[in-house]
Amino acid sequence: MTATLSILIYHRVLARPDPLFPGEVDARLFERQLRLLKRFYTPLPLSEAVQRLQDGNLPPRAACITFDDGYADNAQVALPLLQRHGLHATFFIATGYLDGGQMWNDTVIEAVRQVSGPVLDLQEHGLGCLPLASLAQRQAAIATLLGQLKYLPFARRQQLAMQIRRQAGATAGQTTMLSTAQLRQLHAAGMDLGAHTASHPILSTLPDHAARLDIANGKRQLESLIQTPVSLFAYPNGKAGRDYGAPHVAMVNCLGFKAAVATDWGVARPGAGLDLLQLPRFTPWDRGRLAFLWRLRQNRRQAHPARPDAG
């Protein structure tokens, strides 16, 4: 049987469950998944897995753990658990949000979380009037707003997120992103750090020159902070053909990255079809042990998605 590489995507590992996001990974669930990966898979650092894909000596059921964006709980919660189990992860950092920044989606989430009344009226911004009387309604409101804003031009998306926060009468909330000290803590612990642009735009919504600059700035800033070359990249949002395309793959190649990861389901296999600049990844959302393993198995059977050709 051909060896395969499963690359898992995480964003946050909460210290305790969040009622607003019951599906979000917390410490207990993350540790359970780490135990399952150790028992049934062969976990590898992503950089090693990339090299073994090239060399053709990938072990059976190889798996990598990756984190996107750069949340503080990656260092506070996830890192100690990874160390406890002797496992490695790669953290893809959007450098523009280090040291107190907040991503647009978190601005929206905190705004909805903090609204004291039963309604959030955003009609003047063209976003409707959202009922918030119950937890389910707040969850639905967040999903609606994130969907409405996600593919807007970057500046407009940022502007609306701030307008929603003001309309809600909300504050920025607690700092959720990594500090520079926490970033260096991850690096000192032997974890790989990869680039994820500076400002986390959806690359396809930007002019090419702006997209290339954001990718390059993220790489340069991260290298400056950790004083180490950065050779791994994650496309923001990461759906091939929708969030990034062939020009962006070419940019990543030109900027000297050795490998890049997307968010399309599937596994990487050694051989002629291997594209190290568009490695598939998936998010394991199942909470039960058997369901988690079943989802990993189904992902290994996933047909490789169509990829934009970098030419």
Side-chain angles (χ1 to χ4, degrees), residues 5-189:
L5 174 63
S6 301
I7 307 176
L8 281 63
I9 312 169
Y10 293 92
H11 288 83
R12 304 194 63 179
V13 178
L14 305 178
R16 60 193 60 84
D18 180 353
L20 199 58
F21 288 94
E24 190 71 81
V25 176
D26 58 49
R28 181 177 294 182
L29 176 61
F30 185 59
E31 186 162 27
R32 181 194 306 161
Q33 293 180 348
L34 294 183
R35 288 193 180 105
L36 291 169
L37 285 172
K38 284 175 67 176
R39 181 175 178 185
F40 295 102
Y41 283 77
T42 307
L44 297 173
L46 181 58
S47 53
E48 179 183 341
V50 166
Q51 188 61 54
R52 296 184 73 161
L53 275 169
Q54 289 179 291
D55 296 343
N57 62 359
L58 193 71
R61 293 188 177 185
C64 297
I65 299 166
T66 67
F67 284 81
D68 283 4
D69 301 339
Y71 285 94
D73 55 43
N74 294 178
Q76 296 164 340
V77 183
L79 177 60
L81 293 173
L82 289 163
Q83 291 175 314
R84 180 184 300 171
H85 292 278
L87 293 175
H88 184 282
T90 298
F91 297 84
F92 292 103
I93 309 298
T95 52
Y97 301 99
L98 294 169
D99 298 312
Q102 187 174 62
M103 299 181 72
W104 72 273
N105 52 301
D106 292 319
T107 300
V108 171
I109 289 166
E110 285 308 307
V112 173
R113 187 193 301 276
Q114 293 179 41
V115 173
S116 58
V119 170
L120 178 58
D121 187 350
L122 298 171
Q123 293 180 89
E124 66 177 282
H125 306 299
L127 297 171
C129 188
L130 303 167
L132 303 176
S134 69
L135 186 62
Q137 286 179 336
R138 288 183 188 249
Q139 291 168 337
I142 288 170
T144 296
L145 290 171
L146 296 184
Q148 288 175 311
L149 270 60
K150 191 170 193 175
Y151 284 97
L152 293 178
F154 181 82
R156 178 61 175 158
R157 189 175 70 180
Q158 302 297 110
Q159 178 190 42
L160 278 173
M162 294 305 296
Q163 288 174 340
I164 291 168
R165 187 169 87 180
R166 284 193 292 271
Q167 192 77 24
T171 64
Q174 292 183 329
T175 298
T176 57
M177 307 308 286
L178 289 165
S179 66
T180 296
Q182 290 170 327
L183 177 78
R184 290 173 174 153
Q185 179 189 2
L186 291 171
H187 181 60

